[in-house]
Amino acid sequence: MSLIQNFPIFIELIITMHKLFLLVLLFARATALAGNPIGLPDIVNYEKTSYNGGTQNWDIQQDRNGIMYFANNEGLLTYDGTYWKIYPLPNKTIVRSIALGLDSRIYAGGQDEFGYFSPATNGKLKFYSLKNKLPEKYRSFADIWDIVGNDKDVYFRTEKAIFHLSNNQVKVIPATSQWVFLGLAGKKVVVQDKQKGLAFLKSGSLSKQFLPLPENFLTTSVSVFSADTVLLTTMNHGIYTLTEGALKTLDSYGAPNLRNRQILQAFRDVNGMLIIATNNNGLLVVNKKGSIVYNFTKNTGLQNSTILSIHEDHNKNLWLGLNDGIDFIASNNAIRHINPDIFAEGVGHSSIIFNNTLYFGLSSAVYSMPRNNTGDISLSSGNIKYTENTGGQTWGFDIVENHLLLGKHEGAYSMSGNSATNFSSDKGYWKFLYYKHKHFKDPILLAGNYNGIDIFSYNSDGYKLLGPVKNFHESARFITVGNDNLIWASHPYKGVYKIDVTNLENPEVKLYTKARGLPSTFNNHVYTVKGRMVICTENGIYEYNKKGDSFAPSEFFTKIFRRLYIRCMKEDPDGNIWFIQDKNLGVCKFSGGKPELIFIPELNGKLVSGFEHINPIDKNNILVGAQKGFYHINFDKYVHNSNSIKVQFSQVRAIGKNDSLLFGGYFGEVNEIKKQQMFPEVKYALNSFHFEYSSIVNKNQANIQYSYYLEGFDKTWSAYSKRTEKDYTNLPYGNFIFKVKARNNFGIESVAAVYRFSISPPWYHTWFAYTIYSLIIAFILYQVYKFQQKKFINQQKRFEEEQRRLEYLHQLEIDKSEKEIVKLKNEKLETEIEAKNSELASIAMHLGQKAELLNKIKGELDKLNKHMDQDEHQMELKKILRTLSSEEKADGGWDQFSIYFDKVHTNFLRDIKSAYPNLTTNDLRLCAYLKMNLTTKEIAQLMQISPRGVEISRYRLRKKLQITGETNLFEFFKDFKLEKRQEGLLS
């Protein structure tokens, strides 16, 4: 057979060998440390690369603001929860010891240097040396190994002398042989001289008697043990109690077993535990019975096992100064890690309490331990043991009819004590459900598995397979039973199934997908919560609508979870709903009345993605499956530990071409709680700002968010985010107040931290500049005024000239108009004259014709009279001739014509007669006819002469008028005026 054909057998062989190896390993590790709590507090490692300082940390302090201080190889190291800062000594030597004095300063001692750090005017720590206060002979020394502050006294220990600072004066207490220890326990200052032994220091004076000590006895720490008793530790002689008159070996806490442990420091915590830092055995936590509750070493999470210093902070958590780095132990944290060696760092898939036994289901096997108390399980001590016959992948526990059932990759098991019995092994099983069927007298068991749902019956002989649910062959990891006794199952990428097994022979199976109201066919999970069958979808939580036979968003849960994608839901005994949204653990807290969503970010990234497990046992015990074992949450403690929150500024910088530190973190002395007293004003060139802020928390910053608001610039508070810094660029000048507040995952907000500052105006906005501007503006206005005045005068002149020009033009227009009027009048007169002339011509012609007619008649009558014989007839003809002669005399009235002509032509004939008296009547008649512009023919007819005679008359008239032949007589008579003629004659 080929390798490909044998591949399934080959894989099965490998799996079998792996199981055998795993069983051997589990049995080899089956014995756990007796008496140790199963839950370990989280440990945070701060490597020197993270705090950017030296390797060793010799001493630790914490001020009232929560800031941590470390005596580091490279200087004084500070940490405010987010930002690390280091302040070196002037001579750049190791800082061996630090202490907070009553004056709120932090005192520090190094090699050949000692003094204190105090904030400068900008709030940045500055070192002030006290070395110059020493007598000259003591100014050269080695290390300051210990510093203690007691009331107004501060003591600094070197091997040769102790320096006593009081009232700003330094006195020297020399050693008889060598000062090997200086420490403070409450109000008692304890010192050890290598030869003379122990003594107490009060107000700079040693007690009268020294307590003698055994040879090579080296005191390493003192702390308060009881009201009048001091707890004293030694390097190799164990632990003692010290009173004013006696030194006794400590009898409790298994002190005799702690000899030769190289104890460097120890104290008793509020829970009565003895916390012991050792030189090479890590950190020990010992109870009164002498049992080592915890032993934190490099193997359990510390960076190394040499602990040079230890400090319990305000939140009762521990800070360790190590030989290489700094560690934080969240000893008072409500979250602990359950991952003993026996788990072999397996993945936590399931857990349950049954018959007072706590079971853990991991990717490797099932482990169990008795539950010793009803309180916090993580503090329980006991042996965690491997449960027989459970090797391999564990999926889940379920209690059905008071039986504990286990679903594994290898099959279905029934748990009894510390062993498991397989009752079905042909496939992997996920989940088990109680089910009541009308065809069965007793309840039956539904078992969701890789290939569908199996039905089991139960009797005294055990579980019996009745068969699978027919018509359904999908993986049934998520199944539940609704109130209508219907089975609901969800498939990760096919949808949701409704299964009605009323007829077991032909169950009704119906698939619901996007077409039936679900937002998507993928990623649907079915659960029963608050007595409701719900579907957790990518677009929120849905519920089944029986009338429409479809799904719709849940009115109840949508108000709480909105459209969040919930992957897992579990209800606790108090009615709270624990859930996993994406990869974040949260709880919907109902106990306060109004539902409240609370996220627990400390576990982000630590859960089992895709196979999440939550076991909310009670308010003190929530177990969550993790990538390595389990996490335990004491929810009641978690809630109470999260009520206090405070935010403070770490740094404020003004940024321009060169940065300027405005605030270095302190408004007052190191150990003072003060608000800002000085409000800086910066130059306009530094109008960009960088703010850093932080909040001191129990463990880390994972559950803290910040919101900021720059009053005078921002319109409203910013949205909450995890950013601990904010930058503003190119701010305008003026007064500003920067505010920042913090909020934890419970929605509790801190009081806003406030920083006030102002930006001075640029030089062009100063009072001096405004004065210059005012003068310039006044000058400009004056010049404008003068210019406008001159312009006005010029305009006035131009206006007057224009007015004169306009008047002239107006006059010209008037003259022109008058001339036009005169012209029109003249034209009218000429027209009228022409009309009159025409009329006169017509009259003249008529008179001429009449005279001519009369002459013809007279001529004819004269001829007739000559030839008439009868006298009677001649008398009649003569009578007629006389009548015609009288008529001719009457009609030939030139005088009448001349009078009419002068009326028309304004006394023309009279004026020309006056001008030329020698003119005859015929001359005047010719003048009148010429004035009328009659033709030669017309004139000849009127004057009854020939045209030649008219020409001769014209010639004669020119001579009388004294005009040349070039002058047109009509034009002459047209323009003739008597006045002009007289003026011409006078000239």
Side-chain angles (χ1 to χ4, degrees), residues 493-508:
Y493 56 86
K494 290 187 177 181
V496 176
Y497 292 88
K498 181 178 72 174
I499 306 169
D500 186 351
V501 293
T502 303
N503 182 1
L504 285 173
E505 293 301 320
N506 188 24
E508 182 182 345

Side-chain angles (χ1 to χ4, degrees), residues 57-115:
N57 296 277
W58 300 93
D59 203 355
I60 306 174
Q61 295 289 325
Q62 185 181 29
D63 68 15
R64 295 169 62 193
N65 293 297
I67 298 176
M68 301 299 303
Y69 299 88
F70 304 87
N72 185 264
N73 275 3
E74 295 185 6
L76 176 67
L77 183 66
T78 69
Y79 181 58
D80 61 5
T82 301
Y83 297 101
W84 295 91
K85 299 177 185 178
I86 192 159
Y87 303 91
L89 294 178
N91 60 3
K92 310 296 183 182
T93 60
I94 296 172
V95 176
R96 295 286 190 186
S97 54
I98 55 176
L100 287 165
L102 191 66
D103 54 5
S104 295
R105 297 169 176 172
I106 184 161
Y107 290 89
Q111 295 173 334
D112 201 38
E113 184 63 276
F114 76 107

Side-chain angles (χ1 to χ4, degrees), residues 767-828:
W767 286 110
F768 177 76
Y770 286 143
T771 303
I772 299 299
Y773 298 155
S774 300
L775 293 174
I776 293 173
I777 291 171
F779 177 76
I780 292 173
L781 289 175
Y782 176 75
Q783 292 298 321
V784 169
Y785 167 74
K786 297 296 291 182
F787 174 77
Q788 290 293 337
Q789 187 181 44
K790 185 176 179 181
K791 183 179 178 183
F792 176 74
I793 293 172
N794 292 333
Q795 285 179 342
Q796 190 173 19
K797 289 180 179 179
R798 287 196 298 271
F799 176 75
E800 291 174 353
E801 292 175 357
E802 182 68 17
Q803 287 299 111
R804 287 193 293 271
R805 189 182 70 85
L806 290 175
E807 287 178 2
Y808 173 74
L809 292 175
H810 182 65
Q811 187 62 42
L812 290 177
E813 289 293 331
I814 292 174
D815 294 343
K816 184 178 179 181
S817 298
E818 290 178 351
K819 287 180 180 181
E820 289 290 332
I821 293 171
V822 170
K823 182 179 178 182
L824 291 173
K825 287 181 178 180
N826 290 335
E827 290 177 352
K828 182 179 180 183

Side-chain angles (χ1 to χ4, degrees), residues 614-643:
I614 308 173
N615 180 15
I617 300 168
D618 54 44
K619 64 181 181 181
N620 296 318
N621 299 283
I622 311 295
L623 291 175
V624 182
Q627 293 288 348
K628 296 179 180 181
F630 296 84
Y631 277 94
H632 175 276
I633 304 171
N634 187 328
F635 186 60
D636 188 54
K637 184 177 181 179
Y638 187 84
V639 171
H640 288 89
N641 282 356
S642 302
N643 288 335

Side-chain angles (χ1 to χ4, degrees), residues 49-332:
T49 54
S50 63
Y51 58 74
N52 198 25
T55 302
Q56 295 169 308
N57 296 277
W58 300 93
D59 203 355
I60 306 174
Q61 295 289 325
Q62 185 181 29
D63 68 15
R64 295 169 62 193
N65 293 297
I67 298 176
M68 301 299 303
Y69 299 88
F70 304 87
N72 185 264
N73 275 3
E74 295 185 6
L76 176 67
L77 183 66
T78 69
Y79 181 58
D80 61 5
T82 301
Y83 297 101
W84 295 91
K85 299 177 185 178
I86 192 159
Y87 303 91
L89 294 178
N91 60 3
K92 310 296 183 182
T93 60
I94 296 172
V95 176
R96 295 286 190 186
S97 54
I98 55 176
L100 287 165
L102 191 66
D103 54 5
S104 295
R105 297 169 176 172
I106 184 161
Y107 290 89
Q111 295 173 334
D112 201 38
E113 184 63 276
F114 76 107
Y116 62 90
F117 285 91
S118 181
T121 54
N122 62 358
K124 181 181 180 180
L125 287 184
K126 181 180 179 181
F127 183 76
Y128 297 88
S129 177
L130 296 172
K131 185 177 177 180
N132 58 354
K133 294 183 179 295
L134 288 173
E136 188 68 34
K137 61 179 291 188
Y138 290 102
R139 290 187 182 181
S140 179
F141 53 87
D143 293 275
I144 301 289
W145 289 101
D146 300 312
I147 304 176
V148 299
N150 187 33
D151 293 331
K152 296 182 179 181
D153 300 318
V154 182
Y155 301 93
F156 306 83
R157 178 182 74 87
T158 70
E159 291 184 349
K160 295 182 178 180
I162 292 176
F163 306 142
H164 172 220
L165 174 65
S166 180
N167 297 322
N168 205 30
Q169 299 294 322
V170 178
K171 296 180 181 180
V172 178
I173 306 173
T176 302
S177 57
Q178 178 184 346
W179 293 117
V180 295
F181 177 76
L182 168 69
L184 179 68
K187 292 291 184 180
K188 296 179 179 180
V189 180
V190 181
V191 294
Q192 180 186 349
D193 183 271
K194 188 174 183 180
Q195 290 183 357
K196 298 179 69 175
L198 293 172
F200 292 93
L201 269 173
K202 292 182 180 179
S203 301
S205 300
L206 289 168
S207 54
K208 294 180 180 180
Q209 292 184 348
F210 281 78
L211 290 176
L213 298 173
E215 187 178 359
N216 297 324
F217 189 97
L218 178 60
T219 304
T220 54
S221 74
V222 291
S223 60
V224 175
F225 189 76
S226 63
D228 298 319
T229 305
V230 174
L231 182 72
L232 184 146
T233 64
T234 66
M235 179 63 75
N236 293 306
H237 285 73
I239 303 176
Y240 295 80
T241 59
L242 173 66
T243 60
E244 288 288 346
L247 180 68
K248 296 181 180 179
T249 302
L250 181 67
D251 295 328
S252 57
Y253 293 94
N257 298 324
L258 298 174
R259 292 175 65 88
N260 299 318
R261 287 278 190 165
Q262 296 188 355
I263 298 172
L264 297 180
Q265 190 176 345
F267 65 90
R268 189 165 66 167
D269 68 8
V270 293
N271 298 316
M273 298 285 189
L274 202 60
I275 313 297
I276 303 172
T278 70
N279 187 47
N280 52 22
N281 293 311
L283 183 73
L284 302 174
V285 179
V286 183
N287 60 22
K288 291 181 180 179
K289 297 179 180 179
S291 300
I292 299 176
V293 178
Y294 293 111
N295 183 14
F296 296 101
T297 64
K298 188 172 183 178
N299 294 330
T300 56
L302 299 185
Q303 294 180 77
N304 62 80
S305 298
T306 300
I307 302 174
L308 301 178
S309 56
I310 184 171
H311 184 83
E312 186 178 52
D313 66 16
H314 300 333
N315 296 311
K316 307 304 179 185
N317 296 311
L318 298 176
W319 291 87
L320 310 181
L322 306 178
N323 197 47
D324 185 6
I326 297 171
D327 281 350
F328 171 81
I329 300 177
S331 55
N332 194 38

